[in-house]
Amino acid sequence: YAGGYNVALRSVDEEIICLLNNDIEVTENWLAPITRLFKSDDTIAAAQPLLLDDKRRTHFEYAGAAGGYLDRLAYPYCRGRIFDQVEENHQQYSDSTQLDWASGAALFVKKNAFLEVGALDEAYFAHQEEIDLCWRLRHAGYKIAIATDATVYHLGGGTLAALNPRKTFYNFRNSLFNIVKNDHSANWLGILFLRMVLDGLAGLQFLFKAKPAHFMAILKAHASFYAGLSDMLHKRQEVKRYAKKTSTKPEVFSIVYQFFVKKRSNYQSVK
């Protein structure tokens, strides 16, 4: 995903580019709201439309729903989707608000900003590479947004199905990469340690559920993380060179705690 787009986008001359998955069905006049959104604020560097499920068109879609956020431990969640719990769409998220990240399934990005922060990180290969890109764009002072009056339908799971251990590998490893590269707080090492402990608990849960392939995928993800750690620390310094001193506090400290302990399964209950 990352490498292919990097090659292609460098040969495209348009100011705003759409990275569109081939399992997306667009709707009539869907581009007009996106165009208006970018024209309304020059600091917007990336945006997404509203993502609905192609299989259940009354519901949001897992990959981006009504816009993405990160908790303090860098777990991604969405307006309309917490972990695997996807909400029905009742136009409850109709405001075009700022996001932490926009979905790579239908990602609009300004080419100049895309190149300014170093494009997609090809070390990720796939999964969470758009979260890393959006985090770096926010470091550079740009905004991430959503046009909720633009709608697409996403089939999802075409590259790696949700039950594929390879998907588990990329999600766990790349999330750790995100912390090293982009969490520039004073206690980032503590956040990384806590996240790795939670990864271990997730691995034990996979064992208890008789899913040893996913347990092994987490072990492999951590091994791959350590192998790539030196490179990520170097990239962390590259990000710091253009990062501004502004930062936003996450709405949620731990979406894991909210979901598994407090039993809160929708965005409105956790924010």
Side-chain angles (χ1 to χ4, degrees), residues 9-266:
L9 295 189
R10 287 188 173 93
S11 65
V12 176
D13 295 328
E14 279 67 22
E15 178 186 359
I16 298 172
I17 303 164
C18 178
L19 286 63
L20 190 68
N21 283 13
N22 62 2
D23 59 353
I24 289 280
E25 177 185 328
V26 303
T27 57
E28 187 175 1
N29 298 322
W30 73 297
L31 291 176
I34 298 286
T35 302
R36 288 195 298 268
L37 181 65
F38 276 100
K39 287 182 177 179
S40 71
D41 189 341
D42 289 339
T43 64
I44 294 175
Q48 70 164 75
L50 194 72
L51 267 72
L52 300 182
D53 192 336
D54 185 64
K55 300 181 289 293
R56 285 195 305 171
R57 295 197 165 205
T58 56
H59 286 68
F60 294 106
E61 205 279 322
Y62 179 94
Y69 292 91
L70 294 170
D71 75 358
R72 185 64 188 87
L73 304 178
Y75 281 100
Y77 62 99
C78 302
R79 295 195 304 171
R81 191 271 296 173
I82 309 293
F83 289 106
D84 60 352
Q85 296 297 303
V86 180
E87 297 176 43
E88 189 171 356
N89 176 27
H90 299 294
Q91 287 77 50
Q92 65 268 46
Y93 307 119
S94 58
D95 56 319
S96 295
T97 186
Q98 288 189 51
L99 309 173
D100 288 340
W101 56 273
S103 173
L107 177 64
F108 290 80
V109 62
K110 286 184 176 176
K111 181 180 178 181
N112 288 344
F114 177 83
L115 296 177
E116 177 187 337
V117 300
L120 292 167
D121 189 336
E122 297 180 22
Y124 283 54
F125 181 73
H127 294 294
Q128 299 209 29
E129 70 292 315
E130 80 271 43
I131 295 177
D132 166 54
L133 173 67
C134 289
W135 203 339
R136 285 182 282 124
L137 287 169
R138 289 191 290 116
H139 274 311
Y142 293 108
K143 296 175 184 175
I144 315 299
I146 179 171
T148 55
D149 46 351
T151 302
V152 301
Y153 295 94
H154 186 211
L155 182 61
T159 302
L160 288 174
L163 297 178
N164 192 315
R166 196 67 180 168
K167 189 182 188 79
T168 299
F169 168 82
Y170 285 124
N171 277 328
F172 277 78
R173 186 200 63 176
N174 292 351
S175 196
L176 297 177
F177 281 170
N178 280 339
I179 294 172
V180 173
K181 284 180 65 177
N182 296 304
D183 186 339
H184 297 170
S185 64
N187 61 338
W188 72 275
L189 281 172
I191 294 295
L192 179 64
F193 175 77
L194 180 55
R195 181 60 191 268
M196 297 182 80
V197 170
L198 291 173
D199 284 0
L201 294 176
L204 291 177
Q205 185 182 43
F206 279 130
L207 279 182
F208 290 141
K209 291 183 177 180
K211 296 180 178 179
H214 291 273
F215 172 78
M216 291 303 300
I218 293 177
L219 291 182
K220 291 175 182 177
H222 279 223
S224 182
F225 166 72
Y226 284 120
L229 181 57
S230 177
D231 183 45
M232 289 299 144
L233 288 170
H234 175 72
K235 290 175 180 178
R236 174 185 177 87
Q237 296 307 313
E238 291 179 347
V239 175
K240 280 190 170 184
R241 280 196 282 272
Y242 61 73
K244 301 183 184 300
K245 294 186 180 297
T246 57
S247 63
T248 56
K249 184 179 180 180
E251 292 181 327
V252 177
F253 179 80
S254 173
I255 198 69
V256 172
Y257 176 77
Q258 292 287 333
F259 185 83
F260 291 102
V261 179
K262 302 290 286 186
K263 304 300 182 182
R264 295 172 177 170
S265 59
N266 64 71

